[in-house]
Amino acid sequence: MVAPKLKMRLGDLLVHEHIITNEQLMEALNSQKSTGRKLGDSLIELGHIGERQLLEFLAQQLDVPFLDISQRRIPAEVALLLPEVHARRLRALIIEDQGDAVLLGMSDPADLGGLDQLEQMLAPKTLKLAVVMESQLYEAFDGLYRRTADIESFASQLEEEYDQTTDFDLSTSFTDEGGDATVGKLLQSVFEDAVQMRASDIHIEPDENQLRIRQRIDGLLQENVLKENKIASAMVLRLKLMAGLDISEKRLPQDGRFHLNISGHSIDVRMSTMPVQFGESVVMRLLDQTAGLLSFDQTGMPDDLIKRVRHQLSRPHGMVLVTGPTGSGKTTTLYAGLSELNQASKKIITVEDPVEYRLPRVNQVQINNKIGLTFSAVLRTALRQDPDIIMVGEMRDQETVEMGLRGALTGHLVLSTLHTNDAITSALRLIDMGAAGFLVGSSLRAVIAQRLVRRVCEQCIEPHQPDSQELLWLTHLAGDVAKTAQFKQGKGCQSCQYSGYRGRIGVFELLEMNEPMMAALKRDDAEGFTQLAKANPTFTPLAMVAFDYATQGVTSVEEVLRLVETVDVTG
């Protein structure tokens, strides 16, 4: 192809067409000199022009099409005609293979040097150029340039080595660039793929004739099946070495952790092994320390709820619980609260198993049951350390519950988690665990219950009409308003890997204790407490909060009904 050229310099063209002013151009040029960025990037960063507006203008001037690839299904084998390293460096993506030619999307079509390189790389195919938004390019890169092929290649290579010898050099170091050993390179690819796909967990599961590597993305597992089942033991052994576990012990579960730097991300890995029928299953929780701790605003908690939660956290004493099933984001919410409370004037002690995020100034204690360092033992000592605030990772037994409640009663703010389905049953669960009703009623101040629901992908959002069964459930939940409400769903696109969802948002309910509710707990009146809590005008159940999100187009009817299955919506 003949590389398209602008008749004038980009800045002069934009001024000539009255899209920007001469003063804005000069400001962008000065910014360009100091940052070294391209003029278009400087104009976008300064807010003088939008990315889409700039690229549509460029496409018009160069007489090439502008394409929105967010809705376009691009086959991975087509994109791979251009290696990832060159695609990211030149900000270019092959969108379509047309036989003798390829349709090439670029975010900077005026990059003549880049076009020359691409022509040489892709010869003898000719190039048909299109302009694509850079943000859409990088989303497509992450989805199309998966590490799946590398994982399969290294797995096959490792199996060949396994057939030749069973004496693996397990001491080979595992570095950011990948160790010399094939097993190191395989694990490197597994972690890179997980980080790229924003996975929260990696599951390595040996089966009789295959090995499954699964990733939990936005709460749901996605599976990659390898036929090389014999390599599982080598992978598990290397991971055990990295986590400092006993590599000779295969009959008992083990827990450990290690740290990695992957693709610019600082990742803490919590690892658990468990003996299964065909070897050992490994599950790894990935904690991205690079992203930092979320604030209440970033969790999706509404402003009015944030204000009420902050009021509860500002109390000098009492217990605040965060409740929900595993993986519902309880720890994230607790750490958001601790971050706001973390001041030089306050002594904070946490008792955790394990310590997930490291906080400056906070005294964090890691539980170790093997040596008797239990929740109750540490909590007993913590109360003698003159704390203002105590965070207990989980209320697991009667002794811990009672000590936490007494700590809250004697002038400390106690934060903790509990595995219950909703806020109302949490207070009753404390009593079921053996705590006296008067102690719960005197100490408990508030309970936050939460879930995570998937967000509808903003790139492919479209209207959704509930079917008769869905409408029946929604009407039971919200009444006649469900019949006239407007709902959305994701059609599925490149941006969301055709799932219709991208990211998750927290759904919260806050139960604040008042005098009648506290009195009901003190006299062990569970039914009376439940009715008073449901009648509390400030209390909105989880299911109704999720329904409101669905009417706003934030989540889908499918996600609301999935949440409804886990909570009590009667009464």
Side-chain angles (χ1 to χ4, degrees):
M1 67 167 286
V2 178
K5 295 183 180 179
L6 291 170
K7 300 173 184 176
M8 299 170 60
R9 290 185 301 181
L10 174 60
D12 294 333
L13 266 173
L14 291 169
V15 172
H16 182 264
E17 296 295 328
H18 304 293
I19 296 173
I20 63 172
T21 65
N22 195 58
E23 290 75 15
Q24 289 174 331
L25 173 60
M26 297 309 297
E27 184 184 0
L29 288 171
N30 289 332
S31 173
Q32 183 186 20
K33 289 177 184 176
S34 60
T35 62
R37 303 185 68 182
K38 294 185 177 182
L39 178 62
D41 293 335
S42 296
L43 285 167
I44 293 169
E45 185 177 336
L46 291 167
H48 298 327
I49 191 172
E51 180 187 8
R52 189 182 189 99
Q53 183 185 9
L54 175 64
L55 293 181
E56 286 179 341
F57 175 78
L58 264 176
Q60 183 182 9
Q61 294 298 317
L62 296 171
D63 195 24
V64 294
F66 173 84
L67 292 182
D68 182 345
I69 62 170
S70 65
Q71 307 295 318
R72 194 171 187 132
R73 187 180 287 271
I74 302 170
E77 61 272 16
V78 170
L80 290 171
L81 293 173
L82 179 64
E84 180 182 7
V85 62
H86 300 305
R88 290 186 182 272
R89 180 173 61 86
L90 299 171
R91 295 185 290 182
L93 176 70
I94 297 180
I95 299 170
E96 189 177 308
D97 185 359
Q98 301 175 345
D100 295 336
V102 292
L103 178 60
L104 183 76
M106 291 187 72
S107 63
D108 185 7
D111 181 3
L112 302 183
L115 276 169
D116 287 340
Q117 293 179 51
L118 289 164
E119 280 189 313
Q120 294 174 23
M121 290 177 201
L122 298 170
K125 291 180 181 288
T126 57
L127 306 186
K128 293 184 179 179
L129 189 63
V131 181
V132 176
M133 292 176 67
E134 185 172 309
S135 55
Q136 292 184 1
L137 273 182
Y138 281 110
E139 283 187 349
F141 290 156
D142 288 344
L144 292 167
Y145 290 107
R146 296 285 303 271
R147 297 295 182 268
T148 308
D150 290 342
I151 291 170
E152 292 172 351
S153 173
F154 289 132
S156 177
Q157 184 179 337
L158 187 59
E159 186 177 52
E160 290 178 12
E161 295 176 9
Y162 187 92
D163 288 338
Q164 294 169 9
T165 176
T166 58
D167 185 20
F168 281 100
D169 180 13
L170 294 170
S171 61
T172 304
S173 63
F174 182 84
T175 66
D176 294 351
E177 294 76 30
D180 293 332
T182 308
V183 64
K185 295 176 183 177
L186 171 59
L187 288 171
Q188 176 81 8
S189 297
V190 169
F191 283 114
E192 285 179 349
D193 190 57
V195 170
Q196 186 169 308
M197 297 308 295
R198 300 171 291 109
S200 61
D201 302 82
I202 301 173
H203 297 235
I204 298 175
E205 302 169 341
D207 209 336
E208 184 175 10
N209 299 311
Q210 56 196 9
L211 173 65
R212 290 185 173 86
I213 299 178
R214 303 203 279 176
Q215 299 175 348
R216 190 173 296 280
I217 301 170
D218 290 339
L220 298 181
L221 287 170
Q222 296 185 12
E223 185 173 80
N224 184 22
V225 178
L226 302 176
K227 65 181 185 298
E228 296 85 0
N229 63 314
K230 291 189 292 185
I231 68 173
S233 58
M235 295 178 69
V236 173
L237 283 170
R238 172 56 62 83
L239 289 168
K240 283 184 174 180
L241 281 172
M242 293 164 63
L245 302 181
D246 183 356
I247 62 173
S248 64
E249 181 56 77
K250 301 179 181 179
R251 300 165 300 168
L252 296 173
Q254 297 188 67
D255 295 311
R257 69 188 302 164
F258 55 91
H259 183 83
L260 293 174
N261 288 311
I262 298 288
S263 306
H265 294 257
S266 177
I267 306 293
D268 268 348
V269 183
R270 281 170 38 195
M271 173 174 153
S272 171
T273 71
M274 182 175 67
V276 292
Q277 188 174 8
F278 298 105
E280 289 181 274
S281 168
V282 175
V283 176
M284 292 174 285
R285 169 67 54 87
L286 308 183
L287 301 168
D288 191 345
Q289 304 289 338
T290 309
L293 296 175
L294 295 181
S295 65
F296 283 132
D297 305 286
Q298 293 170 310
T299 63
M301 191 178 288
D303 292 341
D304 62 323
L305 204 63
I306 292 174
K307 185 176 180 180
R308 291 163 57 199
V309 169
R310 284 176 174 154
H311 170 69
Q312 295 297 335
L313 296 179
S314 68
R315 290 172 175 265
H317 56 83
M319 177 178 283
V320 177
L321 288 177
V322 182
T323 182
T326 301
S328 59
K330 298 186 300 295
T331 303
T332 300
T333 301
L334 268 186
Y335 273 99
L338 282 179
S339 296
E340 293 199 1
L341 294 168
N342 189 8
Q343 302 168 9
S345 60
K346 294 179 180 178
K347 168 99 170 186
I348 303 176
I349 299 176
T350 73
V351 190
E352 305 175 67
D353 184 21
V355 174
E356 296 200 14
Y357 293 96
R358 294 165 178 83
L359 295 172
R361 200 188 293 116
V362 176
N363 298 269
Q364 297 175 274
V365 183
Q366 167 75 55
I367 291 302
N368 187 343
N369 289 317
K370 293 178 182 178
I371 61 172
L373 198 65
T374 61
F375 274 107
S376 55
V378 176
L379 189 53
R380 189 179 298 110
T381 302
L383 290 170
R384 303 192 197 108
Q385 291 276 312
D386 188 29
D388 296 290
I389 300 162
I390 300 173
M391 192 271 271
V392 184
E394 183 184 345
M395 290 292 174
R396 292 186 177 179
D397 53 53
Q398 180 181 351
E399 188 177 4
T400 305
V401 169
E402 288 187 344
M403 292 190 67
L405 289 169
R406 292 189 185 280
L409 197 60
T410 55
H412 307 90
L413 178 64
V414 179
L415 311 179
S416 189
T417 71
L418 200 61
H419 286 272
T420 49
N421 285 333
D422 55 52
I424 294 176
T425 56
S426 298
L428 303 176
R429 177 66 59 84
L430 295 177
I431 296 174
D432 290 342
M433 292 175 73
F438 79 88
L439 199 55
V440 178
S442 302
S443 304
L444 188 62
R445 294 291 176 264
V447 184
I448 305 166
Q450 65 182 80
R451 293 289 191 283
L452 293 174
V453 296
R454 290 180 292 172
R455 287 180 178 268
V456 172
C457 176
E458 294 181 359
Q459 301 296 329
C460 60
I461 190 169
E462 63 178 15
H464 170 66
Q465 181 62 44
D467 60 32
S468 57
Q469 191 65 30
E470 289 175 335
L471 196 56
L472 185 65
W473 270 104
L474 292 171
T475 305
H476 173 68
L477 173 65
D480 289 340
V481 67
K483 298 177 181 178
T484 56
Q486 302 294 313
F487 301 102
K488 304 288 185 181
Q489 67 179 6
K491 181 180 179 181
C493 66
Q494 189 76 47
S495 177
C496 62
Q497 296 292 296
Y498 305 99
S499 67
Y501 300 97
R502 184 170 173 83
R504 290 187 289 177
I505 187 171
V507 177
F508 303 88
E509 68 180 17
L510 174 62
L511 179 63
E512 296 172 289
M513 307 298 290
N514 56 30
E515 289 297 334
M517 291 160 57
M518 293 164 66
L521 287 174
K522 289 176 183 178
R523 62 176 182 266
D524 291 333
D525 182 3
E527 185 177 346
F529 170 78
T530 300
Q531 294 304 318
L532 287 166
K534 289 182 177 180
N536 191 327
T538 65
F539 176 71
T540 304
L542 282 168
M544 278 305 300
V545 176
F547 175 82
D548 290 341
Y549 276 150
T551 61
Q552 297 164 24
V554 175
T555 192
S556 67
V557 170
E558 176 189 25
E559 285 293 280
V560 174
L561 298 184
R562 194 161 68 90
L563 182 145
V564 165
E565 291 176 356
T566 68
V567 296
D568 178 16
V569 297
T570 61

